[in-house]
Amino acid sequence: MAATKDIPSSILIIGSGVFGLSTAHALAQRDAFKSSKITLLERLDFPAPDAASIDTSRIIRPDYADGAYAALMAEAHPHWRESGLCLTQDTNADGGDDDAHLYLVRALENVKTRLGLKLGRREEGGQVEPMETPEDVGRVTSCMGGECGQRGYVNWTSGWADAEAGMCHMRKLVERLDKVEFKTAEVAKLNYGKEKVESVELVGGEKLTADLVVLATGAWTPKLVDLRGIASATGQVLAYIDITQEEQDRLGSNPVVLCETNGMFIIPPRNRELKVARHGYGYANLTRIPHPERQGEMITVSLPRTKQDDPKMNIPFEGDKACREYLAKSIPDLATRPWTHTRICWYTDTPTGDWLISYHPTYSNLFVTTGGSGHAYKFLPVVGERIVDIMTGNENDDLGAELTKKWKWPEQRKKVDHVWTDDWRGGVKGMYLDEEMAKGQEGVTKSRL
Ligand SMILES: Cc1cc2nc3c(=O)[nH]c(=O)nc-3n(C[C@H](O)[C@H](O)[C@H](O)COP(=O)(O)OP(=O)(O)OC[C@H]3O[C@@H](n4cnc5c(N)ncnc54)[C@H](O)[C@@H]3O)c2cc1C
C-alpha cells in the first residue's frame, strides 16, 4: 500500500476518537474510496467516556509557537465559535518562565502573521490584545476576582468547545454519509506476519482481516504496536466543581485562562460546572505486557488506567493540590468548593509533541494515526483530510508536505522505553501514577529526570 498507494478494498479503523472518526469522515467523502468497505471499531459504546476526545470541554486555539499547527488551525478555526483565550505568564511560579515567555512571543507572532489577526483592544475592534502588566491581566479576568498572571495576551477568536458534543456531531456527519460500518468491539491484538498485519483479533477470539488497518487507538496504541521510544501514554489531571447560577452568570462568558508557566487552566463554566486542569508532563502508568509484535517477549510501556478499570479511581494528591491552588488563586470565592468529580485523562505523548501519522515502516498494510500530545482535539473538523492525504501519498500543498514530514514515523526511536515529551508543559517531569497515588499529603514531587 505504502509504495503503490493502491486503493484498498477494505479498511478497518480501530478507535473512534478524533483521529479515527475524522479519518472515517474523510475516507467516506472521497470518490477514490467509494468502492472500499470501511469499518470503524470502538472498544466501548460511542462516545467512549474515557477517550481523550470525550470531555466537557477542549481549548480551541490557533495560538501555537509552531507555525505549521497555527496554519492548520487556520483551516479548522472557522468551524468553531469564538469565546476568548487568555494566555498568561506567571513570573512568580516555579521554573519554566523563559520557555513560557518564548512560547507566548512566538504564538502571538504566528497569530498576527500567519492568521492576520488584528492587534488591539476588543472594544476598538482588536482580535488579539497584549496584556503587559498584572493589571492588564486583571482587567480581562476581573470577574474571576483573583490573580491570573503577570502578563500575556488574550485572543478573542480562540476559546473552547464542548468536546463530547463535537464528537457526537462528527459521528452524525459520518453516519449521514452511510458509508461506514460502526462496530463496538475491543481489539485484543494485531497478528503480525513478516511484512503485514495478517489479522486483527478481537477480545473473544474473532479475527478480522482488511487490506488496510488504521490504528487510531490513542493512548492505548502502545499495547497494539511497539511504540517504545516513539510515543507513550501520560495521565493528566482534571477536576470539576458545581457552581451556583449567580456564579455561572458571572463567569460563563469569561475567556479560558491558561497559564503557560505551570500549565494550569480553567475553562469557563457551562451548566453550572467549572473545570480546572493541567497541561502537564503527566503520570506514566508503567505496565508489563506481551510484546505486541514478537511472541514470547515481554515489554514495559505506559498505558491508560481509567475509571473503566477502577470506577473509584481518583487523582493523586499532587495533582489535586495543583488544581486546588490554581483555583484558589484565580477565583478565591471558589477556593474551598469541593470537587464533584475528578478524572485522569490520557495523552499520547511524543518526544516533540508532533503527532504520528504514517504507514508503519515494516508492516505495509498498517497505518498509524496517534500521538496527539494533548493538542489534537481542535483539529477535529479538518485533520481527517490531512490524514487521508498522507495515506494516499498526496501532499496536496506546502502545508501538507510540511505536516507529512512532521508526522512521519521517526527514523530513530529514543533510547528509552517511556517517552517524556520535550514539548512545552507545566508540572513536574518523571511522575509515576502508582507512586503518586500511594503518596499522602506529605509532599511535593521533585523531577527525577
Ligand atoms: C485532559 C486532556 C485535555 C486536553 N485538552 C485539549 C485541548 O484543550 N485542546 C485540544 O485541541 N486538544 C486537547 N487534548 C488532546 C486531544 O483531546 C487529543 O489529542 C485527541 O482527543 C486524541 O484523539 P485520539 O483519537 O488519538 O484518542 P482517543 O480520543 O483516546 O481515541 C482513541 C479511541 O480508541 C479506542 N480504543 C482504544 N483501544 C482500543 C482497542 N483495543 N479496540 C478498540 N478500540 C480501542 C478508545 O476507546 C478511544 O475511543 C486534551 C487531551 C486530554 C486528555
Side-chain angles (χ1 to χ4, degrees):
M1 174 78 195
T4 60
K5 309 289 183 297
D6 289 341
I7 296 299
S9 59
S10 55
I11 304 174
L12 185 59
I13 304 169
I14 311 169
S16 190
V18 162
F19 285 122
L21 198 56
S22 65
T23 302
H25 185 242
L27 286 171
Q29 284 183 302
R30 294 220 183 171
D31 264 2
F33 291 89
K34 66 173 185 286
S35 306
S36 307
K37 178 178 183 303
I38 305 167
T39 309
L40 179 50
L41 274 186
E42 167 55 50
R43 78 188 218 287
L44 299 174
D45 287 336
F46 182 86
D50 59 356
S53 309
I54 305 299
D55 192 8
T56 51
S57 51
R58 289 284 175 264
I59 299 173
I60 306 297
R61 59 174 170 103
D63 307 83
Y64 273 93
D66 183 304
Y69 291 102
L72 184 60
M73 197 52 203
E75 296 174 6
H77 211 179
H79 295 267
W80 301 111
R81 79 194 163 105
E82 302 177 350
S83 52
L85 168 66
C86 184
L87 288 155
T88 68
Q89 182 187 341
D90 191 347
T91 46
N92 295 326
D94 288 336
D97 237 4
D98 289 346
D99 289 348
H101 186 61
L102 201 61
Y103 190 97
L104 286 173
V105 169
R106 287 201 182 134
L108 181 57
E109 193 51 35
N110 275 331
V111 293
K112 280 192 296 179
T113 54
R114 288 234 188 191
L115 276 78
L117 296 187
K118 196 171 157 213
L119 219 59
R121 286 250 187 135
R122 195 190 200 186
E123 328 54 283
E124 293 153 11
Q127 294 168 302
V128 181
E129 201 174 323
M131 302 178 299
E132 310 288 356
T133 63
E135 290 71 35
D136 286 346
V137 179
R139 179 176 48 76
V140 172
T141 57
S142 61
C143 65
M144 297 169 79
E147 290 168 29
C148 292
Q150 305 290 310
R151 55 183 165 162
Y153 74 89
V154 56
N155 182 345
W156 292 108
T157 74
S158 297
W160 64 278
D162 179 332
E164 180 172 334
M167 289 295 291
C168 291
H169 178 68
M170 180 54 106
R171 163 93 177 207
K172 279 208 187 88
L173 295 181
V174 181
E175 281 169 358
R176 255 183 239 154
L177 296 167
D178 201 19
K179 177 83 186 92
V180 175
E181 186 189 352
F182 296 93
K183 274 193 185 167
T184 303
E186 181 171 352
V187 171
K189 58 178 180 160
L190 306 188
N191 291 315
Y192 290 96
K194 214 161 162 235
E195 293 174 349
K196 291 180 71 212
V197 172
E198 302 291 355
S199 65
V200 171
E201 192 167 325
L202 304 184
V203 169
E206 189 185 346
K207 288 184 184 157
L208 308 176
T209 55
D211 284 355
L212 179 64
V213 175
V214 178
L215 214 42
T217 37
W220 291 266
T221 311
K223 195 178 153 193
L224 300 173
V225 64
D226 183 5
L227 289 183
R228 287 174 299 166
I230 296 177
S232 298
T234 63
Q236 309 289 329
V237 288
L238 307 170
Y240 305 78
I241 56 169
D242 280 347
I243 59 170
T244 64
Q245 188 58 48
E246 182 279 315
E247 289 159 346
Q248 171 69 50
D249 295 342
R250 175 161 56 93
L251 298 165
S253 53
N254 209 44
V256 175
V257 179
L258 167 60
C259 178
E260 294 286 326
T261 307
N262 55 20
M264 301 305 304
F265 59 94
I266 292 182
I267 307 267
R270 207 171 65 151
N271 298 333
R272 300 195 305 279
E273 185 182 63
L274 179 137
K275 181 172 110 182
V276 187
R278 180 175 62 197
H279 177 56
Y281 291 101
Y283 310 113
N285 178 36
L286 297 186
T287 312
R288 200 99 176 113
I289 58 162
H291 192 301
E293 297 164 41
R294 291 204 287 267
Q295 281 192 355
E297 204 178 306
M298 299 293 286
I299 59 171
T300 301
V301 295
S302 178
L303 288 173
R305 191 192 309 160
T306 74
K307 286 196 171 149
Q308 295 297 314
D309 309 302
D310 173 6
K312 292 209 187 91
M313 188 176 174
N314 222 317
I315 55 175
F317 176 71
E318 79 75 37
D320 188 308
K321 182 166 176 274
C323 291
R324 178 60 62 193
E325 285 176 356
Y326 187 64
L327 176 65
K329 193 172 173 204
S330 313
I331 317 179
D333 282 5
L334 302 179
T336 56
R337 188 79 48 93
W339 308 130
T340 48
H341 57 287
T342 60
R343 173 180 173 190
I344 298 182
C345 184
W346 295 84
Y347 287 178
T348 318
D349 270 333
T350 66
T352 56
D354 289 318
W355 310 333
L356 178 66
I357 300 180
S358 167
Y359 282 97
H360 193 283
T362 307
Y363 311 106
S364 60
N365 64 340
L366 179 60
F367 188 88
V368 178
T369 174
T370 186
S373 301
H375 67 106
Y377 182 85
K378 60 184 79 62
F379 299 95
L380 172 67
V382 299
V383 70
E385 291 297 330
R386 295 292 180 177
I387 293 170
V388 176
D389 283 348
I390 295 176
M391 197 180 274
T392 53
N394 167 19
E395 287 177 346
N396 204 21
D397 55 14
D398 288 350
L399 179 59
E402 194 178 352
L403 295 173
T404 305
K405 261 196 222 120
K406 247 184 195 315
W407 298 339
K408 71 175 198 236
W409 194 275
E411 263 148 42
Q412 287 201 315
R413 294 169 187 257
K414 286 257 175 189
K415 291 194 174 59
V416 287
D417 288 352
H418 179 75
V419 169
W420 294 106
T421 189
D422 291 326
D423 193 15
W424 169 81
R425 294 295 167 81
V428 163
K429 209 185 234 194
M431 291 189 285
Y432 294 90
L433 184 62
D434 280 336
E435 286 181 13
E436 294 305 323
M437 286 294 202
K439 281 180 193 164
Q441 308 192 355
E442 77 271 16
V444 178
T445 306
K446 297 259 179 352
S447 172
R448 301 185 311 181
L449 301 179

